[in-house]
Amino acid sequence: MAKGFKKRIKQENTQNSGFGSRASGRFINKDGLPNVRRRGVNVLNSLSWYHTMLNLSSFRFITYLVVMYILINLVFALIYYLIGVEHLTGIDKSDPMNEFIDVFFFSSQTFTTVGYGRIAPVGFLASLIATFEAFLGLLTFAIATGLFYGRFSRPRAYLKFSDVAVIAPFQDASALMFRLAPYKNNALTDADVTLSTAIEINEGDNNLKTNFYRLETQLSKINTLALNWTVVHKIDENSPFYGFTGDDFKNINIEIIIHVRAFDEVFSNTVVQRSSYVSREIIYGAKFVPMYYPDNDKDSTVLDLDKINDYEKTEIPVFDNEKA
């Protein structure tokens, strides 16, 4: 991290951020999860596998299920093969490859409890293994079904944030702006946003400390989140960024922490999403370009999510906050 800075900030440091002043690095990742690594506990206790599987992307989730299904059947196929294919009826014994293929498909049929009947276990050991595999298959598919239901039924905000925040002219000063928009056909109402910032302060003798400040927004709540929402924090004498120049935003360790809460009418539940911007993701002297427009028939509005990151450079006039 870059060195902190010495500056007297008028706003009082807030103590309810949830992070300590000696924490380092990014506090909130772009996916909204805290950037915290836990030690002193083993892997099995440090991770909630249920939460991990629910938070995976759809592609990775399906990939993990398919890979685990194949691996489990390969393990049982190897077990059947090692105890001897003579304990299974209906095996093609023309060559070892055909034998292993047959026991693999027998394993998959047993695991899914399909049981076509061409291949069957003979003897106590093979029957015991087949019984255990069928029981394991029932448990596995029950867990997979629960995970599928949990992923589909879990309330989510489905909000997309702009990749960058900008410092743009605003009224008689400048302002920090970023924007967000819903990207699915969910209906969000009573949306509110809470902003805070972490600024690294140099207290002398290379003693760096992170202070947290609340950021007031021009509009903290909207009734319906149907289009994009540009969140604006005006940089005036009440802002911790008052007097910051472009070089300050570039060189000082800053993180903007965002907390959005809304009500989803379909789930009939409150949904929450978090994100953050660090110094390298704040563009000084830029403004967003519009991302929605009327359609050709003028009877509806088009929200172009491909434009959520589009901005154009602009000059920041020398306001009073630049002279401080």
Side-chain angles (χ1 to χ4, degrees), residues 1-5 200-202 208 250-254 279:
M1 296 181 70
K3 292 183 178 180
F5 77 113
E200 194 171 71
I201 307 294
N202 188 345
L208 302 180
K250 183 184 300 184
N251 299 322
I252 298 171
N253 282 328
I254 299 170
S279 299

Side-chain angles (χ1 to χ4, degrees), residues 6-53:
K6 290 183 177 181
K7 183 177 177 62
R8 181 178 180 272
I9 297 178
K10 296 180 180 180
Q11 186 177 341
E12 183 179 353
N13 181 25
T14 182
Q15 302 298 325
N16 62 352
S17 66
F19 295 95
S21 62
R22 301 301 176 186
S24 62
R26 189 171 197 147
F27 296 100
I28 299 293
N29 292 320
K30 296 296 285 185
D31 60 4
L33 297 177
N35 184 27
V36 177
R37 292 188 297 171
R38 296 174 178 86
R39 292 183 178 178
V41 63
N42 61 54
V43 175
L44 294 179
N45 291 328
S46 64
L47 290 177
S48 168
W49 297 107
Y50 180 73
H51 288 82
T52 301
M53 295 301 288

Side-chain angles (χ1 to χ4, degrees), residues 13-250:
N13 181 25
T14 182
Q15 302 298 325
N16 62 352
S17 66
F19 295 95
S21 62
R22 301 301 176 186
S24 62
R26 189 171 197 147
F27 296 100
I28 299 293
N29 292 320
K30 296 296 285 185
D31 60 4
L33 297 177
N35 184 27
V36 177
R37 292 188 297 171
R38 296 174 178 86
R39 292 183 178 178
V41 63
N42 61 54
V43 175
L44 294 179
N45 291 328
S46 64
L47 290 177
S48 168
W49 297 107
Y50 180 73
H51 288 82
T52 301
M53 295 301 288
L54 289 187
N55 289 324
L56 288 175
S57 65
S58 297
F59 177 78
R60 294 182 63 184
F61 176 72
I62 297 298
T63 301
Y64 283 170
L65 288 184
V66 172
V67 170
M68 288 301 300
Y69 175 78
I70 294 175
L71 288 178
I72 291 174
N73 283 289
L74 283 174
V75 170
F76 276 100
L78 183 61
I79 294 174
Y80 290 124
Y81 192 80
L82 291 177
I83 67 173
V85 296
E86 63 272 10
H87 295 284
L88 299 173
T89 62
I91 295 292
D92 181 4
K93 299 180 181 180
S94 58
D95 63 72
M97 178 59 70
N98 288 336
E99 291 178 353
F100 189 81
I101 291 175
D102 273 356
V103 295
F104 175 81
F105 285 116
F106 168 72
S107 172
S108 65
Q109 294 162 18
T110 304
F111 189 75
T112 57
T113 67
V114 172
Y116 290 117
R118 183 177 72 85
I119 303 176
V122 177
F124 175 78
L125 184 58
S127 298
L128 180 65
I129 296 172
T131 300
F132 176 75
E133 184 179 9
F135 174 73
L136 181 64
L138 289 174
L139 290 181
T140 302
F141 281 103
I143 293 173
T145 301
L147 289 174
F148 268 106
Y149 177 77
R151 289 176 62 86
F152 280 109
S153 63
R154 182 165 65 111
R156 296 184 184 181
Y158 295 112
L159 295 176
K160 185 175 183 179
F161 291 82
S162 57
D163 291 340
V164 297
V166 300
I167 305 297
F170 182 74
Q171 296 178 355
D172 58 345
S174 57
L176 170 77
M177 303 181 187
F178 65 91
R179 60 185 179 186
L180 56 95
Y183 61 90
K184 285 187 179 289
N185 58 338
N186 52 336
L188 299 179
T189 59
D190 296 328
D192 64 79
V193 61
T194 302
L195 297 185
S196 60
T197 184
I199 303 178
E200 194 171 71
I201 307 294
N202 188 345
E203 297 185 329
D205 298 327
N206 290 324
N207 184 21
L208 302 180
K209 177 182 178 182
T210 301
N211 286 347
F212 296 87
Y213 304 93
R214 177 73 177 269
L215 298 181
E216 299 297 331
T217 58
Q218 291 297 108
L219 186 63
S220 62
K221 186 173 184 178
I222 58 176
N223 294 330
T224 302
L225 186 52
L227 298 173
N228 69 284
W229 183 8
T230 301
V231 180
V232 178
H233 164 68
K234 185 178 180 180
I235 302 176
D236 54 16
E237 62 273 8
N238 297 316
S239 170
F241 300 133
Y242 186 68
F244 276 38
T245 64
D247 289 337
D248 291 331
F249 280 104
K250 183 184 300 184

